[in-house]
Amino acid sequence: MARTRRLTVAQALIEFLVNQYSERDGVEQRLVPGCFGIFGHGNVAGIGETLLESARNDPAAMPYTLVRNEQAMVHTAAGFARMKNRMATLACTTSIGPGATNMVTGAALATVNRLPVLLLPGDIFATRVASPVLQELEDARSFDISVNDCFKPVSRFWDRINRPEQLPSSLLAAMRVLTDPVETGAVTLAMPQDVQAEAWDWPEELFERRVWRVRRPQPEPAALAEATALVRGATRPLIVAGGGVVYSEATDALRALAEQTGIPVCETQAGKGSLPYDHPSALGAVGATGTAAANAIAREADVIIGIGTRWSDFTTASRSLFADPGVRFVNLNVAPVDAFKHAGLPLVADARVGIEALGSALSGWSVADDYRERAHRLARDWDAQVERAFMLGHAPLPAQSEVIGAVNRVSEPLDVVVCAAGSLPGDLHKLWRTRDAKGYHVEYGYSCMGYEIAGGLGVKLAAPEREVFVMVGDGSYLMMAQEIVTAVQEGIKLTIVLVQNHGFASIGGLSEAVGSSRFGTSYRLRNAASGMLDGDRLPIDLAANAASLGADVISVSNVGELEEALRTARAADRTTVVHVETDPLVGSPSSEAWWDVPIAAVSQLDATIVARKAYEQAKTQQRPFV
Ligand SMILES: Cc1ncc(C[n+]2csc(CCOP(=O)(O)OP(=O)(O)O)c2C)c(N)n1
Ligand SMILES: [Mg+2]
């Protein structure tokens, strides 16, 4: 007889998680080293009971952190996972109903960004004896549906544990997906509240230490030979580095390849930091929020080597950027879905292994010196533009680019800047001088307002030795600032730069560009005369709001004060919010690239009619395969 242990389903779940490790390149670490949550009737007795037992037995085994909002804690888990290069994540436990569905946005963010998170929403009674229970969705078509079915399209693995016997195979599948570089994303195990508390005799084997090796697949020799021939025949090749370069810890290999071949390198949002900003091969950001340097080279390039990128519309400037008529793509990606995009030559492999293989195969070959020099000259010209944007001296309120400059100057190379939505991500992508592969953390797969502070918590948890600068607009702040309380509770130190511009600079600017005249994008009182939101500024005080949540707060009114405040905050050991007001109407240097946002084909508004004309012209630059 195999030995067994009698535990509840929830106890078995946590005991299993405590014993799971990830491994790559010989480095083992706990795969799920903590659990975040909010209790309700759907998890307080099952998972809640076992987390208390666990904390009593060994506080380090599965530490539990109480948060303010379920969506936010999934962001924290995603930020943590990204900072750990997907080698670890956090579990998230909720009650049934609203606590569970609050996580759906977080799940989508994780899955879109290919970041592992383990979601454990409570679910209605499997036995259904007392149905409908509090917060149960009743569906007349099927008694098998609960709100947790909403997680299916935003999860890479989804299961509902209706019987204890189902748990072991679901747990193994969940770990497989979390640690699979192709499949990874949100993993949802819906946990009916009665089943959580049910006891079962589990085989001891379930709780043995398990190590999940994150694979580094090699490229196929024939595919490599084809790709090499294409690159060797190129005169103006360009590397586009995506998040996969960072996750695969391929940045040193990329640098070596760039130095060996002279191929210039540009970066997507997730790939920013693949090279230090001042490396001779670095062109900086590419695409709709890119540098004029990268975009000029991209327009002329004959072979594009995409590494670990999923070719979002921001990267391709909505498929208008790669304009050479004969342009060809080589896609080095661990995920076939990305490797086959743009009719490219698919090099299905781990980024680091693939870069090293390309390097060997390209031995003795490099780009012409004048191409290398032209790329470097363009990059230097762009950096001079960055310097001007940092030192604009705009009055009376500083420009956002000056705020970014101040944060960049005060931060040390290993510090991390965190952002997600608004006008900051684009400006950061263009302007931030990244000096470390993990120094730039902008969530731009989902660009989710509210990720900033919660995600920053995850970053700091994953890398407590680094200083974390969260940059957040007033709109994003108002959507999800409450995790400041969690930071204070846990003594997790963040520096939060709150950029107050009284509304949506980003969507306001976009609105103007599409002929919608900034309608509904600034925070103003309803004007009785016009009936519009164009009255006085709202009588609100976000600095006071941050202080009320327990943060130290410094309000500044110019760039000099800002730098001083940032130094104070950086040296402090408490979470500090630096509140700065900026002028929303000052842009940053142009990317000289387009982004496809459709404009009304018929309209009574003159501005829209003009914008539509320009739009129709821009559409002609879009290419079907690139
Ligand atoms: C959850 C969510 N809702 C809506 C949007 C669309 N959106 C993108 S940026 C933005 C405004 C952000 O405002 P703020 O944080 O103040 O930044 P700013 O644009 O002023 O730089 C909106 C509404 C989004 N990205 N995420
Ligand atoms: Mg704003």
Side-chain angles (χ1 to χ4, degrees):
M1 271 288 282
R3 284 192 311 124
T4 59
R5 210 188 305 177
R6 192 158 181 82
L7 296 172
T8 68
V9 167
Q11 289 161 358
L13 162 73
I14 297 301
E15 180 64 11
F16 173 87
L17 291 179
V18 167
N19 290 295
Q20 305 308 304
Y21 290 76
S22 66
E23 184 271 343
R24 192 171 61 183
D25 305 329
V27 181
E28 285 184 13
Q29 57 186 302
R30 278 280 302 280
L31 177 57
V32 187
C35 181
F36 276 48
I38 293 182
F39 291 131
H41 63 284
N43 61 340
V44 70
I47 291 180
E49 186 276 344
T50 182
L51 287 169
L52 170 60
E53 247 184 32
S54 171
R56 290 250 167 96
N57 291 335
D58 177 3
M62 187 54 76
Y64 174 71
T65 303
L66 164 62
V67 302
R68 307 311 122 183
N69 176 296
E70 292 90 352
Q71 178 186 323
M73 77 181 165
V74 186
H75 296 338
T76 301
F80 181 87
R82 175 163 167 183
M83 200 60 197
K84 290 275 191 186
N85 287 334
R86 312 195 289 203
M87 299 301 290
T89 186
L90 300 167
C92 298
T93 172
T94 73
S95 190
I96 73 167
T101 50
N102 265 357
M103 292 202 292
V104 172
T105 296
L109 181 147
T111 295
V112 167
N113 283 285
R114 320 244 172 110
L115 294 169
V117 296
L118 177 58
L119 310 183
L120 305 170
D123 211 326
I124 54 172
F125 284 70
T127 58
R128 303 181 191 153
V129 280
S131 277
V133 296
L134 175 67
Q135 300 167 330
E136 176 171 346
L137 172 81
E138 287 186 278
D139 191 316
R141 296 163 302 173
S142 165
F143 297 154
D144 191 41
I145 289 174
S146 86
V147 293
N148 286 337
D149 289 84
C150 293
F151 285 95
K152 284 180 179 172
V154 290
S155 297
R156 289 289 181 220
F157 180 75
W158 183 100
D159 209 357
R160 184 182 278 129
I161 310 301
N162 282 313
R163 294 277 313 152
E165 299 94 314
Q166 295 169 344
L167 184 69
S169 52
S170 288
L171 285 176
L172 295 178
M175 300 303 110
R176 167 180 61 76
V177 172
L178 288 176
T179 55
D180 184 326
V182 179
E183 288 292 309
T184 199
V187 166
T188 302
L189 296 181
M191 304 294 295
Q193 54 181 122
D194 50 347
V195 181
Q196 285 178 43
E198 225 170 286
W200 190 255
D201 295 309
W202 308 94
E204 234 2 284
E205 192 196 342
L206 181 63
F207 309 117
E208 279 169 10
R209 189 176 193 278
R210 274 195 180 72
V211 181
W212 299 83
R213 177 156 300 129
V214 177
R215 64 184 182 278
R216 289 194 180 278
Q218 299 273 351
E220 282 191 1
L224 180 65
E226 234 183 308
T228 310
L230 192 60
V231 176
R232 279 179 181 272
T235 53
R236 298 174 310 281
L238 170 67
I239 292 173
V240 176
V245 173
V246 178
Y247 299 144
S248 152
E249 294 169 17
T251 54
D252 288 345
L254 178 66
R255 183 199 294 236
L257 180 69
E259 287 169 5
Q260 171 196 326
T261 60
I263 304 176
V265 177
C266 57
E267 300 168 329
T268 71
Q269 281 277 12
K272 189 167 159 88
S274 290
L275 284 186
Y277 83 98
D278 53 356
H279 187 276
S281 298
L283 289 169
V286 69
T289 53
T291 70
N295 288 343
I297 294 291
R299 255 180 223 108
E300 302 163 9
D302 53 358
V303 173
I304 314 287
I305 306 164
I307 309 180
T309 173
R310 60 194 191 95
W311 295 120
S312 85
D313 66 343
F314 265 78
T315 300
T316 65
S318 301
R319 302 195 183 211
S320 70
L321 186 59
F322 303 107
D324 183 273
V327 67
R328 295 286 312 274
F329 287 78
V330 173
N331 296 318
L332 166 53
N333 207 300
V334 75
V337 65
D338 295 317
F340 281 85
K341 285 176 180 170
H342 299 327
L345 261 178
L347 214 47
V348 180
D350 167 67
R352 196 175 82 191
V353 165
I355 290 171
E356 286 165 357
L358 268 177
S360 308
L362 288 170
S363 148
W365 175 89
S366 68
V367 301
D369 285 348
D370 60 340
Y371 179 61
R372 195 193 288 239
E373 279 153 22
R374 176 169 138 70
H376 188 45
R377 200 170 52 246
L378 286 169
R380 277 206 317 270
D381 291 350
W382 178 261
D383 197 55
Q385 286 216 52
V386 170
E387 193 58 30
R388 276 197 292 281
F390 281 181
M391 308 306 275
L392 216 52
H394 192 75
L397 293 175
Q400 181 162 281
S401 63
E402 296 175 74
V403 173
I404 292 173
V407 178
N408 204 194
R409 281 192 296 279
V410 170
S411 61
E412 296 288 324
L414 293 185
D415 295 356
V416 189
V417 66
V418 180
C419 193
S423 58
L424 279 163
D427 287 357
L428 285 165
H429 195 211
K430 289 179 195 173
L431 304 177
W432 188 260
R433 290 168 169 160
T434 316
R435 296 149 288 174
D436 178 78
K438 300 305 292 182
Y440 183 87
H441 185 117
V442 174
E443 185 282 294
Y444 214 63
Y446 212 45
S447 188
C448 185
M449 290 170 78
Y451 174 85
E452 295 86 349
I453 295 171
L457 266 182
V459 170
K460 182 70 179 170
L461 271 175
E465 70 286 1
R466 294 187 189 232
E467 288 296 319
V468 176
F469 288 89
V470 171
M471 297 197 72
V472 59
D474 52 331
S476 273
Y477 179 89
L478 282 168
M479 213 173 266
M480 200 165 274
Q482 75 293 329
E483 297 314 310
I484 289 175
V485 177
T486 306
V488 170
Q489 163 192 299
E490 299 296 324
I492 300 169
K493 187 249 166 135
L494 300 175
T495 297
I496 299 167
V497 183
L498 169 48
V499 179
Q500 167 64 291
N501 57 19
H502 303 279
F504 306 160
S506 53
I507 307 299
L510 180 63
S511 171
E512 193 166 312
V514 301
S516 296
S517 309
R518 296 186 180 257
F519 173 63
T521 61
S522 70
Y523 289 155
R524 301 273 174 165
L525 288 171
R526 175 78 58 197
N527 180 346
S530 69
M532 309 280 264
L533 290 180
D534 59 4
D536 287 342
R537 288 254 163 91
L538 301 182
I540 58 167
D541 184 344
L542 298 185
N545 176 275
S548 79
L549 299 179
D552 291 348
V553 178
I554 311 174
S555 283
V556 300
S557 52
N558 59 53
V559 178
E561 284 176 23
L562 172 64
E563 267 202 58
E564 198 185 310
L566 290 168
R567 285 184 211 288
T568 305
R570 192 179 183 283
D573 52 13
R574 294 195 79 244
T575 287
T576 306
V577 174
V578 178
H579 178 273
V580 57
E581 193 161 333
T582 59
D583 185 333
L585 299 181
V586 194
S588 58
S590 170
S591 284
E592 290 161 31
W594 179 64
W595 183 39
D596 190 349
V597 177
I599 293 171
V602 290
S603 174
Q604 301 173 358
L605 306 171
D606 290 344
T608 305
I609 294 166
V610 170
R612 174 71 192 191
K613 281 230 164 66
Y615 177 70
E616 284 169 4
Q617 180 54 37
K619 282 289 275 184
T620 62
Q621 303 305 308
Q622 235 168 5
R623 303 183 62 183
F625 283 108
V626 303

